[in-house]
Amino acid sequence: MIRRRLSLSGIRHLDLFGQNDHNLRLMEEEFDARIVVRGEEVMVEGKKEEAERVTSLITLLMTQVKRGGVVGEQDVIYAINMVKEKDEERLSNLYRESVILSTPRGPIRARSVGQREYVDAITEHDLVVGIGPAGTGKTYLAVALAVAALQKRTAERIILARPAVEAGENLGYLPGDYHEKIDPYLRPLYDALYDMLPADRMRRYLDMRLIEVAPLAYMRGRTLNDSFIILDEAQNTTGMQMKMFLTRLGFGSKAVITGDITQIDLPRGCASGLVEIQHILRDVSGVHFVYLTELDVVRHRLVSDIIRAYERYDGRKGEDR
């Protein structure tokens, strides 16, 4: 048995260990070590390997707090997995990365190595395709980068588009005019923007058409120059819709396509444009594909477990065919 001591000087207990020491309990559940906090000191006691892993874990999480972050449950779970895989160096590099966007709700930054790869790809390439399950930050990070580009004036406007595909509902039977029917499909994009911009600035940007949120059909016939363009829920585009979107890209523009190929709502027999472009564009220089996994999920930890459960179920169904 060994003991390791760490100073918590300058770190708020709540930011690191969470409400009622929830984060601390998560660590103790995953490692055979005892963690005791007294004042501005934390003591880790256990077998040498376990104590050193927990010490490394806490040290890494302290780095995030010192950079102005608050450690949440998902951050702890992700860090635990990285430490267990002996991948502390990549995690340390992740925590040293700069903030994507400062918002009224706090800084936005990549929270997993996969997300970091995604952010870097968008920064470095004009066309990026982000594919992964729900909760991996595909849309949220892309919108944050778009807002940052608008504020830095590297883009003159932001255009956010989504296909209006009925997930079990028929638009024609929904109440209201076309805009009222289509608004629920676009609401997640508005929610992301309101997280990142004060309401008055958001309204001003919308009025000035610096930010445009629209159904994919509104893109037809346009050439989009000097823009940051995001196509969300792209798994619900047809092949023709995807081709139409891709050919809107004008000079000085950047495009990000996001989607989850496990949640396609197109009619049976209709091929997804997002699935198709993985084959059509895989050898096109300048197009970059990023694949996120359940390890990059930043929602409730049950979401990762649910995704894995569905993957196992789908795998068994495939074997039975």
Side-chain angles (χ1 to χ4, degrees), residues 269-285:
C270 184
S272 165
L274 182 60
V275 172
E276 288 184 344
I277 63 168
Q278 294 177 84
H279 308 288
I280 296 170
L281 302 182
R282 62 184 174 188
D283 296 323
V284 176
S285 177

Side-chain angles (χ1 to χ4, degrees), residues 78-130:
Y78 185 75
I80 286 170
N81 290 332
M82 294 293 280
V83 169
K84 284 185 172 182
E85 294 293 325
K86 299 184 177 169
D87 216 349
E88 293 95 334
E89 184 177 351
R90 283 208 299 167
L91 187 60
S92 179
N93 291 336
L94 172 67
Y95 288 159
R96 282 199 294 265
E97 294 291 346
S98 58
V99 171
I100 297 168
L101 183 70
S102 296
T103 76
R105 296 191 176 199
I108 297 174
R109 53 163 59 91
R111 294 174 62 185
S112 74
V113 172
Q115 287 189 354
R116 182 72 257 165
E117 179 190 346
Y118 180 56
V119 169
D120 289 344
I122 294 172
T123 303
E124 295 166 9
H125 297 85
D126 287 339
L127 178 57
V128 172
V129 183

Side-chain angles (χ1 to χ4, degrees), residues 169-210:
E169 293 185 85
N170 191 314
L171 279 176
Y173 291 101
L174 294 175
D177 61 22
Y178 180 75
H179 290 284
E180 290 171 325
K181 291 176 182 180
I182 213 72
D183 187 65
Y185 292 97
L186 304 176
R187 181 51 48 191
L189 297 174
Y190 283 110
D191 290 344
L193 286 166
Y194 276 112
D195 270 358
M196 299 171 196
L197 290 166
D200 58 339
R201 191 185 308 172
M202 173 70 175
R203 286 191 293 270
R204 187 166 71 251
Y205 284 173
L206 289 169
D207 290 342
M208 297 170 65
R209 309 290 285 180
L210 295 177

Side-chain angles (χ1 to χ4, degrees), residues 45-302:
E45 184 179 69
K47 293 180 181 178
K48 186 174 186 294
E49 183 179 359
E50 290 289 277
E52 288 180 349
R53 289 164 86 184
V54 173
T55 302
S56 175
L57 172 64
I58 295 173
T59 302
L60 286 166
L61 294 173
M62 286 169 60
T63 302
Q64 184 175 1
V65 174
K66 286 176 180 177
R67 288 181 60 82
V70 176
V71 176
E73 178 181 292
Q74 189 60 43
D75 297 308
V76 176
I77 293 169
Y78 185 75
I80 286 170
N81 290 332
M82 294 293 280
V83 169
K84 284 185 172 182
E85 294 293 325
K86 299 184 177 169
D87 216 349
E88 293 95 334
E89 184 177 351
R90 283 208 299 167
L91 187 60
S92 179
N93 291 336
L94 172 67
Y95 288 159
R96 282 199 294 265
E97 294 291 346
S98 58
V99 171
I100 297 168
L101 183 70
S102 296
T103 76
R105 296 191 176 199
I108 297 174
R109 53 163 59 91
R111 294 174 62 185
S112 74
V113 172
Q115 287 189 354
R116 182 72 257 165
E117 179 190 346
Y118 180 56
V119 169
D120 289 344
I122 294 172
T123 303
E124 295 166 9
H125 297 85
D126 287 339
L127 178 57
V128 172
V129 183
I131 297 174
T136 50
K138 303 181 301 295
T139 304
Y140 199 79
L141 290 172
V143 172
L145 286 161
V147 172
L150 187 65
Q151 293 180 345
K152 294 174 186 173
R153 300 188 177 178
T154 55
E156 291 186 2
R157 58 179 171 167
I158 298 170
I159 297 174
L160 309 176
R162 267 189 164 199
V165 172
E166 301 110 310
E169 293 185 85
N170 191 314
L171 279 176
Y173 291 101
L174 294 175
D177 61 22
Y178 180 75
H179 290 284
E180 290 171 325
K181 291 176 182 180
I182 213 72
D183 187 65
Y185 292 97
L186 304 176
R187 181 51 48 191
L189 297 174
Y190 283 110
D191 290 344
L193 286 166
Y194 276 112
D195 270 358
M196 299 171 196
L197 290 166
D200 58 339
R201 191 185 308 172
M202 173 70 175
R203 286 191 293 270
R204 187 166 71 251
Y205 284 173
L206 289 169
D207 290 342
M208 297 170 65
R209 309 290 285 180
L210 295 177
I211 296 178
E212 180 181 345
V213 184
L216 176 60
Y218 281 30
M219 301 296 106
R220 189 174 298 279
R222 302 174 65 182
T223 300
L224 306 173
N225 296 317
D226 301 313
S227 303
F228 197 119
I229 313 154
I230 300 171
L231 173 60
D232 191 35
E233 296 289 332
Q235 75 274 7
N236 289 328
T237 61
T238 65
M240 288 300 295
Q241 287 174 324
M242 180 63 76
K243 182 180 179 182
M244 180 273 289
F245 173 80
L246 290 168
T247 53
R248 300 309 93 200
L249 194 64
F251 292 110
S253 288
K254 184 185 290 287
V256 181
I257 298 169
T258 72
D260 177 1
I261 56 177
T262 69
Q263 297 193 46
I264 297 172
D265 297 318
L266 292 169
R268 187 180 296 276
C270 184
S272 165
L274 182 60
V275 172
E276 288 184 344
I277 63 168
Q278 294 177 84
H279 308 288
I280 296 170
L281 302 182
R282 62 184 174 188
D283 296 323
V284 176
S285 177
V287 180
H288 192 82
F289 287 85
V290 178
Y291 293 90
L292 299 164
T293 72
E294 73 276 359
L295 297 176
D296 302 301
V297 169
V298 292
R299 294 182 183 169
H300 193 289
R301 62 173 170 169
L302 272 176

